[in-house]
């Protein structure tokens, strides 16, 4: 698939279209799990929310979501080693050829292992120091060279989550792309043949015999070849024969390349209008809406992974729980979502956090900007006046 992504503009354009439409804007929901929530200490609740927001911000998935989605569409699975320090969390993406899914952990989240025997020395040297140390220590205990990655350091999502073996979602498209290439070669050959013409030089006959020998014919043929274009052939022929053209006279000829391209997108369930121009605005909008649902499914996978990571870091409470939620937003519908959330907010629904998330503000940024604008620099901002 990596080869097809580099070779085929069709494959590259389609994978980039899906992966680049993602826009990870998240918020934190608070759900009541016990009636004692209504008697909880407000200062303690506020502190818990702030800590949860800070930890959620450290994952910084919005900066790597395009890398994640591209790997899911390209390889069916995305593997990464997660490294956390006091300031942030970083992801080292791993080559799927060296990884193996072991089991499902939480919803759409998987545990995976690295096959140490497959790693070249150069690739091993490129791995993070923490991962190198883990592989070196664990290889003595592993009998089959499979080194399990701890849940806290492992990131593994799979696009096709109804089976464990890898099957890239656009793999069936390879056959259609190769078919298009064949039709392109045929179209090129047809264009060359259509431009070809055979010029027939009549050779005089006498009593049923050729009146001119090869020695006499050769200068005439050579002279003719020197004055005609390269796509015109010269043929000496006994008797009188008209020149021959090879252009197709079939009125039912169609553009096979266009037909094959249209069929390729149809086989993948994607509108050709997205790649080569829509016939109508409604057609384009409906196609994008359908494709966006696929991205939203990946958002749910990311939510499950963050939920597991937060539990592993002991963000568990007795009477309530904070839930990391990703807005159903892409680059195509952000304005519509903001308008919808604004209307709900004006109707007094408690969705200010969702409105901020739709606008691109994370919970930690929302808290920080609120304090900065309404407290720290309130005197400065109060001096702002609308243009007159």
């Amino acid at each position: 698939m990596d080869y097809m992504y580099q070779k085929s503009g069709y494959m590259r354009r389609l994978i980039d279209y899906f992966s680049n439409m993602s826009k990870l804007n998240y918020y934190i929901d608070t759900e009541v799990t016990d009636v004692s929530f209504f008697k909880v200490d407000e200062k303690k609740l506020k502190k818990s929310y702030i800590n949860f927001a800070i930890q959620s911000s450290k994952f910084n998935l919005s900066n790597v979501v395009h890398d994640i989605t591209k790997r899911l569409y390209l390889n069916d699975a995305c593997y990464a080693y997660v490294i956390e320090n006091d300031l942030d969390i970083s992801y080292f993406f791993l080559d799927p050829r060296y990884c193996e899914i072991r089991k499902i952990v939480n919803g759409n989240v998987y545990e995976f292992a690295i096959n140490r025997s497959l790693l070249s020395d150069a690739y091993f040297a490129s791995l993070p120091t923490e991962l190198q140390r883990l592989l070196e220590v664990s290889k003595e205990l592993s009998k089959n060279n499979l080194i399990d990655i701890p849940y806290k350091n492992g990131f593994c999502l799979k696009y096709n989550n109804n089976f464990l073996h890898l099957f890239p979602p656009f793999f069936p498209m390879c056959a259609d792309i190769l078919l298009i290439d064949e039709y392109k070669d045929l179209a090129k050959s047809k264009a060359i043949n259509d431009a070809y013409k055979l010029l027939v030089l009549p050779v005089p006959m006498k009593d049923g015999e050729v009146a001119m020998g090869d020695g006499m014919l050769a200068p005439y043929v050579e002279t003719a070849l020197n004055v005609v274009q390269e796509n015109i052939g010269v043929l000496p022929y006994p008797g009188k024969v008209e020149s021959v053209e090879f252009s197709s006279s079939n009125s039912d000829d169609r553009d096979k390349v266009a037909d094959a391209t249209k069929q390729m997108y149809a086989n993948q369930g994607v509108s050709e209008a997205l790649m080569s121009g829509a016939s109508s605005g409604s057609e384009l909008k409906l196609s994008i809406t359908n494709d966006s649902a696929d991205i939203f499914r990946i958002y749910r996978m990311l939510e499950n992974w963050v939920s597991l990571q937060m539990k592993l870091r002991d963000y568990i409470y007795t009477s309530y729980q904070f839930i990391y939620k990703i807005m159903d937003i892409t680059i195509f519908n952000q304005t519509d979502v903001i308008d919808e959330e604004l209307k709900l907010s004006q109707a007094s629904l408690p969705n200010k956090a969702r409105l901020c998330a739709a606008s691109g503000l994370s919970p930690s940024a929302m808290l920080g900007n609120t304090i900065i604008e309404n407290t720290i620099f309130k005197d400065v901002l109060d001096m702002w006046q609308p243009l007159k």
Side-chain angles (χ1 to χ4, degrees):
M1 285 298 293
D2 290 325
Y3 170 76
M4 291 301 296
Y5 179 80
Q6 297 177 31
K7 174 185 182 296
S8 171
Y10 298 111
M11 179 73 75
R12 183 169 57 254
R13 179 70 180 87
L14 192 59
I15 290 178
D16 288 349
Y17 160 72
F18 275 97
S19 61
N20 292 335
M21 78 159 64
S22 55
K23 193 173 181 64
L24 198 149
N25 294 357
Y26 74 94
Y27 63 99
I28 298 173
D29 255 348
T30 305
E31 289 189 358
V32 177
T33 58
D34 189 85
V35 69
S36 60
F37 171 79
F38 298 97
K39 297 181 180 179
V40 72
D41 184 280
E42 293 184 3
K43 290 184 178 180
K44 184 178 179 181
L45 176 61
K46 182 186 292 186
K47 182 179 179 181
S48 298
Y49 183 93
I50 294 174
N51 288 335
F52 193 96
I54 292 173
Q55 180 63 43
S56 299
S57 181
K58 286 179 65 176
F59 287 111
N60 203 20
L61 287 173
S62 58
N63 280 4
V64 294
V65 65
H66 294 156
D67 296 321
I68 294 171
T69 52
K70 179 173 289 187
R71 283 170 169 79
L72 288 174
Y73 284 112
L74 192 59
N75 303 311
D76 187 36
C78 177
Y79 305 92
Y81 186 77
V82 180
I83 302 174
E84 181 176 8
N85 54 39
D86 294 336
L87 298 177
D88 58 15
I89 291 176
S90 56
Y91 304 84
F92 186 91
F93 292 102
L94 301 168
D95 193 320
R97 294 176 298 176
Y98 309 134
C99 303
E100 181 177 316
I101 292 177
R102 304 281 273 178
K103 63 181 179 180
I104 192 167
V105 180
N106 181 35
N108 298 309
V109 182
Y110 296 83
E111 177 191 6
F112 74 99
I114 296 177
N115 193 326
R116 179 68 176 83
S117 64
L118 299 178
L119 303 181
S120 65
D121 293 338
Y123 187 80
F124 181 82
S126 70
L127 298 176
T129 304
E130 294 89 338
L131 182 54
Q132 290 184 19
R133 190 179 304 117
L134 173 65
L135 295 176
E136 288 291 349
V137 172
S138 302
K139 73 177 182 179
E140 302 297 334
L141 305 175
S142 176
K143 298 180 180 180
N144 58 358
N145 287 313
L146 289 176
I147 312 300
D148 290 322
I149 303 300
Y151 295 142
K152 202 170 184 179
N153 299 106
F155 179 95
C156 180
L157 300 182
K158 191 173 184 299
Y159 180 87
N160 292 307
N161 52 15
N162 52 336
F163 45 80
L164 290 182
H165 64 272
L166 298 187
F167 187 82
F170 294 124
F171 179 75
M173 188 178 177
C174 294
D176 294 322
I177 292 175
L178 295 176
L179 183 62
I180 291 175
D181 289 341
E182 291 181 6
Y183 278 130
K184 285 182 177 179
D185 291 338
L186 290 175
K188 182 179 180 181
S189 298
K190 181 179 180 300
I192 293 174
N193 289 338
D194 287 348
Y196 188 77
K197 185 175 182 180
L198 185 60
L199 184 62
V200 179
L201 295 179
V203 179
M205 303 288 293
K206 184 177 182 181
D207 297 331
E209 299 289 338
V210 177
M212 299 178 64
D214 291 343
M216 297 182 64
L217 283 175
Y220 290 101
V221 174
E222 185 176 354
T223 301
L225 289 174
N226 290 334
V227 298
V228 299
Q229 299 179 6
E230 293 183 357
N231 60 332
I232 298 179
V234 177
L235 175 66
Y237 192 83
K240 186 176 181 181
V241 180
E242 294 183 358
S243 297
V244 181
E245 293 186 3
F246 290 82
S247 59
S248 174
S249 59
N250 186 2
S251 60
D252 196 35
D253 278 350
R254 295 180 297 174
D255 189 346
K256 300 297 184 182
V257 175
D259 291 344
T261 303
K262 184 177 181 180
Q263 186 61 41
M264 175 190 66
Y265 287 121
N267 290 342
Q268 303 306 315
V270 178
S271 173
E272 184 186 6
L274 290 165
M275 307 299 158
S276 57
S279 58
S280 67
S282 58
E283 176 189 355
L284 184 60
K285 185 175 181 179
L286 288 173
S287 181
I288 291 175
T289 301
N290 180 64
D291 297 337
S292 298
D294 204 54
I295 292 295
F296 300 156
R297 188 172 69 90
I298 296 176
Y299 289 170
R300 305 291 85 82
M301 298 179 188
L302 291 169
E303 289 174 352
N304 289 339
W305 182 78
V306 173
S307 174
L308 174 63
Q309 294 299 314
M310 297 303 284
K311 291 173 183 175
L312 291 173
R313 289 164 174 77
D314 296 325
Y315 286 91
I316 303 174
Y317 312 95
T318 55
S319 60
Y320 58 89
Q321 62 177 341
F322 298 123
I323 303 177
Y324 180 96
K325 296 286 245 179
I326 302 175
M327 300 284 293
D328 286 343
I329 286 181
T330 67
I331 60 175
F332 299 108
N333 72 337
Q334 182 175 17
T335 302
D336 295 336
V337 174
I338 292 175
D339 291 341
E340 180 181 351
E341 294 297 332
L342 185 58
K343 291 177 182 177
L344 294 175
S345 180
Q346 292 169 343
S348 300
L349 267 70
N351 71 323
K352 290 183 175 63
R354 287 175 56 90
L355 178 58
C356 290
S359 303
L361 281 176
S362 67
S364 56
M366 175 193 68
L367 294 173
N369 290 340
T370 300
I371 298 300
I372 288 293
E373 293 188 7
N374 296 334
T375 302
I376 305 300
F377 292 111
K378 184 178 185 301
D379 55 338
V380 176
L381 298 176
D382 285 345
M383 292 188 293
W384 288 19
Q385 295 182 3
L387 294 175
K388 299 179 181 179

